[in-house]
Amino acid sequence: MTTYKLPLPKDFEGKLNNKNTHLITLTNRAGMQIALTDYGARLVSALVPDKNGDLIDVILGFDSIQGYLSAVEPYHGATAGRYCNRIAKGKFSLEGKEYTLAQNNGTNSLHGGIEGFHTRVWDRQVSFNKLVNFYYVSPDGEEGFPGELKTTVTYELTNFNEIIIRFRAISDAPTVLNLTNHAYFNLNGEGNGDVLNHVITIRSEEFLPLDENQIPTGEVFSVEGTAFDFRQPKLLATDINSQEEQIQVASGYDHSFINNQPISEPIAKAFSKETGIELQVFTNEPCIHLYSGNFLSDDEGKSGRKYLRYGGFCFEAQHYPDSPNQLEFPSVRLDPGDVFESEVRYKFTINK
Ligand code: BGC
């Protein structure tokens, strides 16, 4: 069995664009530990007790800043923004003006562009070994988006083995916004094979089908009778190779499920029989995006083992992808004077 430890702070100390980078660690009363870095306001590790009381690192990532800088997959654990997920053709209009963004995913703009929030060094403030606030001011026009945007991302580790992430933002001009956390989970332990043996539950009746560029078609499909029906617990492996068009288009799961659950009820769950660790996800965002790590390959993670295809999965709480171009989707517009607020809770329990 792998013995998991948090990375060392000294391996995260450096300078990027004239800002110092750090590793911050939090521990709760139940012995759970997490590590965060200001580079990308990201979650580096989460050591969670398993059914034997051993600590398992359930987050994919690297043990140094250098690891994150040279990774093939740049979004491990990061805050993705200003607009996580895709904007078709890297273009949208707001108040009659067209904005052009970097096309960093075929013709799409993905996760805020080439130098999205995941590449920024955020300011930080740590409170009582319990909570970390990260701050970033994104200048007007950054990566093509209008308005100066002030963003705060708060991570809290509770004594109930929950990681609560709160996003807040204000803008000085009308803009669009979609923020998420992009942690990859492996409840067997990072680097410990793939996640196909995880039991997944998603309490959603509907999902957004994608076109060949992975942009929502604008339709809303029922999960009934499809590979996307996770209303009853189901192994991730069950339908991941289905011949259904929607699975083929994304080479696995990479889809947004509509969230109609109140924040007090989990919209999604994942469970590993191997460790007994169950993850529950609570959010007030209108979607939960399941990404089954279809494009992971080649990165060597903290454990020294490679992260291969399906080596981790993401439950990204977010707005509908491409909303700036799909006006029938819930609005992602943020006006001066308004405060954007959203929350996601990742809660870990043992289920024997
Ligand atoms: C997207 C995937 C993408 C991945 C990149 C996910 O949020 O939905 O399509 O490949 O991020 O890390």
Side-chain angles (χ1 to χ4, degrees):
M1 202 199 90
T2 315
T3 307
Y4 292 102
K5 287 207 177 88
L6 294 183
L8 299 173
K10 72 169 175 43
D11 294 327
F12 282 77
E13 285 160 16
K15 219 169 197 153
L16 286 175
N17 299 328
N18 273 325
K19 295 196 83 171
N20 292 325
T21 57
H22 306 85
L23 185 80
I24 302 133
T25 62
L26 303 178
T27 304
N28 73 4
R29 281 202 214 124
M32 180 174 161
Q33 303 169 30
I34 66 171
L36 305 156
T37 178
D38 37 16
Y39 174 61
R42 79 180 73 214
L43 182 60
V44 171
S45 299
L47 298 186
V48 178
D50 72 357
K51 60 184 175 190
N52 305 317
D54 295 321
L55 289 176
I56 306 292
D57 189 349
V58 296
I59 305 290
L60 275 58
F62 306 96
D63 53 15
S64 67
I65 278 285
Q66 202 42 53
Y68 284 93
L69 290 172
S70 50
V72 177
E73 161 58 51
Y75 304 107
H76 278 288
T79 298
R82 291 187 186 192
Y83 200 96
C84 67
N85 214 305
R86 293 174 172 79
I87 296 182
K89 302 193 173 69
K91 283 195 190 308
F92 67 93
S93 295
L94 194 62
E95 310 234 288
K97 193 169 165 204
E98 188 173 77
Y99 293 91
T100 302
L101 314 168
Q103 295 176 329
N104 59 341
N105 172 255
T107 56
N108 305 318
S109 168
L110 177 70
H111 297 329
I114 297 163
E115 292 189 274
F117 284 0
H118 64 292
T119 69
R120 305 297 176 189
V121 180
W122 296 55
D123 293 324
R124 75 199 192 290
Q125 183 208 35
V126 185
S127 284
F128 306 110
N129 190 32
K130 208 175 146 55
L131 196 140
V132 183
N133 285 309
F134 290 111
Y135 306 97
Y136 179 64
V137 180
S138 173
D140 179 27
E142 189 177 51
E143 292 296 286
F145 290 96
E148 181 190 82
L149 189 77
K150 294 192 171 119
T151 306
T152 306
V153 179
T154 304
Y155 287 85
E156 179 180 350
L157 175 62
T158 73
N159 287 324
F160 306 102
N161 290 357
E162 294 165 301
I163 302 171
I164 305 180
I165 310 175
R166 296 189 182 89
F167 301 89
R168 289 192 193 87
I170 52 171
S171 177
D172 67 359
T175 195
V176 294
L177 171 78
N178 194 11
L179 298 173
T180 198
N181 177 274
H182 206 289
Y184 286 87
F185 298 94
N186 184 334
L187 304 179
N188 300 327
E190 59 86 16
N192 190 6
D194 63 45
V195 292
L196 295 178
N197 63 357
H198 286 38
V199 180
I200 304 289
T201 312
I202 303 178
R203 296 161 81 194
S204 170
E205 311 281 326
E206 291 171 320
F207 73 103
L208 302 178
L210 304 174
D211 70 12
E212 65 285 359
N213 295 318
Q214 286 193 257
I215 295 291
T217 61
E219 296 153 286
V220 177
F221 279 4
S222 164
V223 298
E224 179 84 42
T226 74
F228 297 83
D229 195 344
F230 288 100
R231 291 173 297 178
Q232 296 302 319
K234 179 168 89 175
L235 279 179
L236 187 61
T238 308
D239 291 321
I240 203 163
N241 291 315
S242 149
Q243 290 310 303
E244 281 175 39
E245 191 196 340
Q246 281 302 313
I247 290 286
Q248 294 297 318
V249 102
S251 311
Y253 294 99
D254 197 351
H255 293 77
S256 295
F257 292 77
I258 309 296
N259 176 21
N260 286 318
Q261 300 294 332
I263 194 162
S264 52
E265 292 295 326
I267 171 68
K269 296 183 193 179
F271 171 64
S272 155
K273 208 172 162 194
E274 228 170 285
T275 57
I277 297 174
E278 179 165 271
L279 165 68
Q280 296 181 53
V281 186
F282 304 76
T283 184
N284 55 6
E285 285 282 355
C287 286
I288 192 80
H289 189 88
L290 170 63
Y291 174 50
S292 50
N294 313 331
F295 308 121
L296 283 177
S297 77
D298 276 346
D299 283 325
E300 191 178 290
K302 288 173 275 188
S303 54
R305 292 187 295 240
K306 285 225 169 186
Y307 296 148
L308 301 174
R309 188 171 191 208
Y310 310 140
F313 69 95
C314 304
F315 273 147
E316 301 164 49
Q318 56 184 241
H319 269 71
Y320 296 26
D322 197 36
S323 300
N325 293 311
Q326 308 216 20
L327 300 178
E328 63 288 2
F329 286 173
S331 173
V332 288
R333 180 177 168 141
L334 180 66
D335 283 310
D338 290 345
V339 182
F340 170 84
E341 284 183 293
S342 74
E343 180 172 319
V344 60
R345 293 171 176 238
Y346 296 111
K347 182 176 171 73
F348 299 93
T349 53
I350 303 292
N351 197 340
K352 286 191 183 164

